[in-house]
Amino acid sequence: MSYSSSDIGSGSGTATRTFEFGRTHVVRPKGMHQATIIWLHGLGDKGSSWSQILEALPLPNIKWICPTAPTRPVKLFGGFPCTAWFDVGDFSEDAPDDLEGLDASAAHVANLLSTEPADVKLGVGGFSMGAATALHSAMCFVSGNYANGNLYQVNLSAIVGLSGWLSCSRILRSRVEGSHEAARRAASLPVFLCHGLGDDVVAYEHGKRSAQTLSSAGFQNLTFRTYNGLGHYTIPEETDEVCSWLTATLGLEGS
């Protein structure tokens, strides 16, 4: 499936980019379908990698949708093309944000969720760059708009981010402050973030600072978990905690 920035209302006369998303992998619930979660892979990966991990989790009431990001040039790799939800040069808060790419990926996620049954709770999670993209979806939900101003029309009940960071942190406050509804959504949206102290790709300080920025902006239902010795990967201790948190947060039946 492809998106151009004009599909989500670029609002400018500049040339638009078209984003061709890759294959989507679906892990269907083994029990009663109570929740659907989009899971977003990291930079250079694909949806199938995570679908195999998610299928093994003891969460029979969740449907997992694992899309694959577009292949695009990435500044971090000197312009070499790879699968990426948006372009990134580094992970510092001063780095320019690819709002066009972030919005296109958030729109793709919203489109995948838009056809789910009305009685099913919806969430977005991800690893590394996927976690950053999940947090951008959270920003869009809380503010009610994409970064470009277009309406965001999906109701989210949970956000999970592993080994990630918060993009667009400089405009976060402006998207929450001044709106009672945005402040209410920020305060109530459950967010679960995890990061390893030994992460040598997305440094632990980036994850910690992201959690602090979200908390100070009014995200009151936020949990930040730290794992000693964990690098840029996941471990059973971490996935066990994600399972427990999702079960409690979404009110899922026992496995």
Side-chain angles (χ1 to χ4, degrees):
M1 183 174 292
S2 65
Y3 285 86
S4 70
S5 55
S6 59
D7 293 333
I8 49 177
S10 64
S12 72
T14 58
T16 60
R17 290 183 289 166
T18 298
F19 303 93
E20 294 284 348
F21 289 83
R23 183 179 175 186
T24 296
H25 298 260
V26 177
V27 178
R28 303 200 176 278
K30 300 177 179 69
M32 183 173 67
H33 184 193
Q34 293 181 280
T36 296
I37 297 178
I38 305 287
W39 190 267
L40 305 171
H41 62 75
L43 181 63
D45 204 354
K46 54 188 178 181
S48 60
S49 298
W50 278 93
S51 66
Q52 298 169 27
I53 297 172
L54 299 170
E55 189 167 20
L57 297 181
L59 295 169
N61 306 114
I62 292 181
K63 173 184 176 181
W64 299 94
I65 301 177
C66 305
T68 299
T71 297
R72 70 178 79 198
V74 175
K75 291 189 183 76
L76 189 66
F77 297 150
F80 185 82
C82 66
T83 53
W85 300 110
F86 56 94
D87 192 13
V88 61
D90 63 62
F91 306 125
S92 72
E93 292 188 352
D94 296 326
D97 296 308
D98 177 18
L99 293 175
E100 192 179 8
L102 281 160
D103 273 355
S105 291
H108 185 61
V109 167
N111 183 64
L112 290 171
L113 290 172
S114 66
T115 56
E116 291 301 294
D119 61 342
V120 166
K121 294 180 179 178
L122 308 177
V124 186
F127 174 79
S128 191
M129 174 178 270
T133 308
L135 287 174
H136 185 69
S137 290
M139 297 304 103
C140 295
F141 164 68
V142 164
S143 66
N145 301 91
Y146 293 97
N148 58 31
N150 250 32
L151 289 177
Y152 186 86
Q153 298 178 307
V154 174
N155 185 36
L156 298 179
S157 297
I159 299 292
V160 178
L162 311 182
S163 306
W165 73 95
L166 176 66
S167 61
C168 310
S169 59
R170 290 169 294 180
I171 62 173
L172 173 60
R173 284 191 178 278
S174 66
R175 297 184 70 180
V176 177
E177 292 178 351
S179 167
H180 176 75
E181 178 62 17
R184 184 193 67 79
R185 289 185 178 185
S188 61
L189 178 64
V191 179
F192 191 72
L193 303 179
C194 305
H195 218 107
L197 284 169
D199 196 326
D200 58 355
V201 177
V202 180
Y204 172 79
E205 286 305 315
H206 291 308
K208 181 181 178 181
R209 191 181 307 116
S210 296
Q212 292 170 339
T213 301
L214 287 164
S215 294
S216 66
F219 284 77
Q220 299 175 17
N221 194 359
L222 183 148
T223 301
F224 181 67
R225 295 286 291 112
T226 298
Y227 299 89
N228 290 324
L230 177 63
H232 200 64
Y233 47 86
T234 189
I235 53 174
E237 180 187 356
E238 184 180 47
T239 54
D240 287 350
E241 290 203 61
V242 169
C243 289
S244 297
W245 184 84
L246 285 172
T247 298
T249 299
L250 300 176
L252 304 178
E253 293 183 352
S255 58

